[in-house]
Amino acid sequence: MENSKLPTLVILFSLLFIGATNERNSIDILTVNEALEKLGNERPTHFIETTEELIKQGRDLVEIGQTELINGKLSQPVSKYFVCTNCHNSAQEDPDIRFSNPDTRLPYVVQKGIPFLQGSTFWGIVNRESWYNDDYYLKYGENVKAANNSLRQAIQLCAIECAQGRPLEQWEEDAILAYYWSLELKMSDLTLPGEMKTKILETVKTERVDPSLVDEIKKYYMVASPATFDKPLYDKKAGYDEQGDLLIGEQIYENSCRHCHQEGGVSDFLLDYAPHTFRFLKKNMFKENDFSIYQIIRKGTYSSPGAVPYMPHYPIEKMSDRQMEGLRKYILTMADKKNNVIVK
């Protein structure tokens, strides 16, 4: 009876040995930062050692704007108006992480059940090399210069300007960074060719540096999130030279507009499925005011005394002209319905 167990044990130990060997011979177990460092890339200046407690505090600050202190009390809210997740996801939102493409992002986030937002995801933010890129200088001016090259400064700019809150204390900044490091990219997230993986593994094993491999790895994810601003259309009735798709419009309305403009959302301007809501949007669609989708999506609003909450606009990398036309078609279709049945 005892001998009959031997073949099973041999097979089990063989599988465990093969599994352990495969793990040692795979770069997929490394984070992107670990792999880059082993190949000679300099560690980012925003690197921080993390703990589970620090990560939790950072997640709290990002998601609810405050966290529990050692004495059991809650920290002072960062902002009275916004939290980070009003404009940012914390998960992968582009199916191909080499590109920022709103037309492929929308079906991906709908399938994942996350919103379609103005800001770039925090997932992989520590792997980027610049922040508040391109046209964000037009919105925030000289403040962008420091934030562009420093993730710490970008976090502070987001808290003060974007969230209309207060400067973060050092421990809060550290906590948010710790949370961001928990969202860093892994080599398994990259669609590297097999022969490239083999070359990286061989180089890492021999403890050699190879700047060319560093450069190649960085081609498989965005080291900077692009931001191109577009002006509102002059001829709003003509619209963009794109065919509106009803389903796309519904997805934008639900996963983008209503993320903030729903009951319990950050905005007091509510968007529901009542006919009068769509008729209001239709009435203002072609006008020069903030209730026109063509105006508000591309221009947004600015915070002002007495009206601190504002709406950030969508760069073209975050909402395409095609999606705008889909939203137009959905609103006009729903405005002509006699009930609040959602178009499918």
Side-chain angles (χ1 to χ4, degrees):
M1 179 68 70
E2 290 297 321
N3 288 339
S4 67
K5 295 181 179 179
L6 286 176
T8 302
L9 289 173
V10 169
I11 293 172
L12 177 61
F13 282 121
S14 297
L15 290 173
L16 289 173
F17 176 77
I18 292 171
T21 302
N22 287 340
E23 185 170 298
R24 288 195 299 270
N25 290 315
S26 173
I27 62 164
D28 286 343
I29 62 172
L30 298 175
T31 67
V32 167
N33 186 61
E34 288 171 339
L36 293 179
E37 277 196 42
K38 289 177 182 293
L39 293 169
N41 197 57
E42 190 174 339
R43 176 176 286 183
T45 57
H46 55 262
F47 178 81
I48 187 171
E49 297 289 349
T50 67
T51 64
E52 288 302 316
E53 180 182 6
L54 200 59
I55 290 171
K56 181 187 180 303
Q57 286 184 319
R59 183 186 297 111
D60 288 344
L61 290 168
V62 165
E63 294 180 352
I64 62 177
Q66 57 186 158
T67 189
E68 186 175 352
L69 303 174
I70 297 176
N71 59 12
K73 295 182 179 180
L74 288 175
S75 62
Q76 180 187 356
V78 176
S79 170
K80 296 186 293 183
Y81 310 104
F82 301 104
V83 295
C84 303
T85 50
N86 292 142
C87 292
H88 299 270
N89 285 311
S90 294
Q92 180 178 348
E93 60 184 15
D94 280 294
D96 187 336
I97 62 175
R98 296 174 298 172
F99 309 109
S100 179
N101 185 335
D103 290 319
T104 56
R105 183 183 309 120
L106 180 61
Y108 186 80
V109 298
V110 169
Q111 189 272 329
K112 291 185 71 173
I114 60 177
F116 185 74
L117 302 175
Q118 299 98 322
S120 299
T121 179
F122 294 139
W123 184 78
I125 191 173
V126 296
N127 300 104
R128 294 175 212 148
E129 298 176 358
S130 65
W131 304 266
Y132 286 96
N133 300 299
D134 305 325
D135 287 346
Y136 273 108
Y137 182 85
L138 302 175
K139 187 173 180 70
Y140 299 113
E142 293 299 310
N143 291 333
V144 165
K145 289 187 176 179
N148 181 247
N149 297 309
S150 166
L151 181 52
R152 284 185 176 272
Q153 290 297 321
I155 292 170
Q156 289 286 1
L157 179 59
C158 194
I160 298 168
E161 295 291 344
C162 301
Q164 288 295 297
R166 59 174 175 80
L168 296 167
E169 296 183 26
Q170 179 70 49
W171 71 269
E172 292 173 311
E173 190 180 292
D174 289 344
I176 291 173
L177 267 180
Y179 174 55
Y180 288 169
W181 275 105
S182 76
L183 304 174
E184 66 175 311
L185 299 180
K186 299 177 177 57
M187 292 297 285
S188 58
D189 295 319
L190 311 185
T191 55
L192 299 174
E195 62 273 16
M196 186 175 173
K197 286 187 175 184
T198 301
K199 186 176 182 181
I200 294 170
L201 183 61
E202 291 174 350
T203 306
V204 168
K205 277 184 174 181
T206 55
E207 298 184 351
R208 291 183 289 118
V209 300
D210 190 336
S212 67
L213 277 179
V214 170
D215 293 339
E216 284 301 310
I217 290 172
K218 290 181 181 181
K219 292 178 182 178
Y220 287 85
Y221 65 95
M222 287 186 292
V223 295
S225 185
T228 307
F229 294 178
D230 196 9
K231 294 180 180 179
L233 280 176
Y234 175 75
D235 188 349
K236 295 177 173 58
K237 282 191 177 181
Y240 292 101
D241 188 20
E242 296 281 354
Q243 184 67 37
D245 182 285
L246 205 58
L247 177 59
I248 288 176
E250 180 188 342
Q251 291 172 337
I252 292 291
Y253 189 77
E254 177 58 32
N255 295 277
S256 185
C257 305
R258 279 176 44 80
H259 175 67
C260 289
H261 298 277
Q262 62 178 311
E263 196 70 45
V266 71
S267 174
D268 57 6
F269 177 60
L270 301 183
L271 295 175
D272 54 22
Y273 294 99
H276 67 82
T277 299
F278 293 104
R279 288 170 192 152
F280 176 83
L281 294 173
K282 176 183 177 180
K283 182 180 71 173
N284 288 279
M285 185 174 291
F286 310 124
K287 296 181 179 179
E288 296 289 326
N289 65 39
D290 290 341
F291 295 108
S292 163
I293 61 168
Y294 287 111
Q295 189 78 8
I296 195 68
I297 290 174
R298 287 297 184 228
K299 186 177 180 181
T301 61
Y302 284 81
S303 181
S304 61
V308 177
Y310 69 101
M311 177 176 160
H313 67 288
Y314 281 78
I316 62 174
E317 291 86 359
K318 298 303 179 183
M319 190 178 296
S320 69
D321 296 346
R322 179 168 178 257
Q323 290 166 340
M324 293 274 287
E325 288 307 302
L327 181 59
R328 169 187 177 144
K329 185 170 184 178
Y330 177 67
I331 290 171
L332 296 181
T333 301
M334 293 296 281
D336 292 338
K337 295 181 74 70
K338 297 186 183 301
N339 53 49
N340 60 352
V341 176
I342 302 174
V343 177
K344 292 294 183 183

